[in-house]
Amino acid sequence: MGTPITMGSEGLVVPNDPIIPFIEGDGTGPDIWAAAVRVFDAAVEKAYGGERKVAWVEVLAGEKALDETGSWLPDETVEAFGKYLVGIKGPLTTPVGGGIRSLNVALRQILDLYACVRPVRWFAGVPSPVKEPQKVDMVIFRENTEDVYAGLEVQSGTDEAKKLIDYLKEAFGWEIRPDSGIGIKPMSPFGSKRLIRAAIRYAMDNGRKSVTLVHKGNIQKFTEGAFRNWGYELVKEEFADVAVSWEDCGGDPGDRILVQDVIADAMLQQILTRPENFDVIATPNLNGDYLSDALAAQVGGIGIAPGGNINYDTGVAIFEATHGTAPKYAGQDKVNPGSVILSGEMMFRYMGWREAADLIIEGLEGAIADRTVTYDFARLMEGATEVKTSEFGDVVIAHM
């Protein structure tokens, strides 16, 4: 049956038989999950010789949930992720029409998964549009609960929009075109600091040398600019013994972690021109959305980009495929399962099962180096052998 993971005073307490809920996903999700879960089980078996084994429990969301329960996101699914702390999911369809804007957004907000964590690195042999993709090795911490992601909007032409426009003119003297739609961009010291705190702690735990705060504070001084300022405050308040700002060290942090900041538009240039200068990135939501997809493109595309949504205080974390459902390929056993496989690698590392995580990396590196890959890579790699989704899982296991 398995044993639940719990949260102790020192962090996660993971039994040898943890219950891990999963959502296989919509569209290509079932194909991807079937390959990925075999990779996960094989890595755990090889790493621990049968002493550890995951107790997988399926929970429902998306089209499968709607068909079976009448709900896109049943309460039981949210409760399972909250109860068992660590879970994983495939891609989900965004419902059309009113109600839930996005199932992914709903899960993150209901469970307060404030850190969207995206590691981005290149695997040797993966086709890339840049000359030196090996220089990209970053981990993005994107704030998940505030900024435009909060979804506080009123539609153009509605009574709500008129009322808000009138209020803003009366209270603040702001002249806003009367036919405008309006979005509110809340950013708080609490939300910003807990995200930046998680990024600095990650850098400490993983031997990373710098944390870069990415913002648009030159224009949005009281939101994005405040994010930057709150980050530097946090360094002095909580991390002065292990981290230091660029201003306080002149760019020479010694044996401490360097905390610096870059304007968002300049950052999108610099990840192309000098990616080796960046390590861990902490940023508000919208900047992180742009950066994570731009960086994924540099190392081979979002098809193999992993992601995790984590609350480091409660321990609740959901790891996920970062790509869409690709319904036209559903059931064809064709697409690349790399995003979910690497998200599982992130999950095991988060659980402290580093040996299993290392085997997954070894297997994936071996499969790609052997040029035995799914169609998306095969069409771009000279001398490649194209395999199905399920076969790619077998190849990864064989290279562990």
Side-chain angles (χ1 to χ4, degrees), residues 25-104:
D26 296 325
T28 56
D31 288 348
I32 292 168
W33 176 254
V37 73
R38 287 191 296 105
V39 170
F40 302 153
D41 287 341
V44 171
E45 171 64 30
K46 184 165 186 178
Y48 308 113
E51 292 184 5
R52 300 181 188 181
K53 186 175 183 180
V54 174
W56 301 104
V57 174
E58 183 176 10
V59 293
L60 301 179
E63 293 175 339
K64 188 173 184 178
L66 187 66
D67 291 343
E68 295 191 17
T69 71
S71 171
W72 285 97
L73 184 61
D75 291 343
E76 294 81 4
T77 295
V78 178
E79 290 166 3
F81 283 125
K83 177 180 180 180
Y84 297 117
L85 300 189
V86 177
I88 190 167
K89 57 177 281 297
L92 291 173
T93 299
T94 297
V96 177
I100 297 174
R101 287 187 302 136
S102 160
L103 297 174
N104 295 324

Side-chain angles (χ1 to χ4, degrees), residues 197-235:
R197 181 182 297 115
I200 294 173
R201 286 178 176 167
Y202 180 93
M204 292 167 55
D205 292 342
N206 291 276
R208 298 280 183 159
K209 295 180 179 179
S210 71
V211 175
T212 302
L213 311 175
V214 179
H215 61 92
K216 192 61 179 170
N218 57 328
I219 303 299
Q220 299 174 324
K221 299 185 184 299
F222 303 132
T223 50
E224 302 258 343
F227 178 89
R228 169 196 180 274
N229 296 339
W230 293 326
Y232 285 137
E233 281 180 12
L234 181 73
V235 171

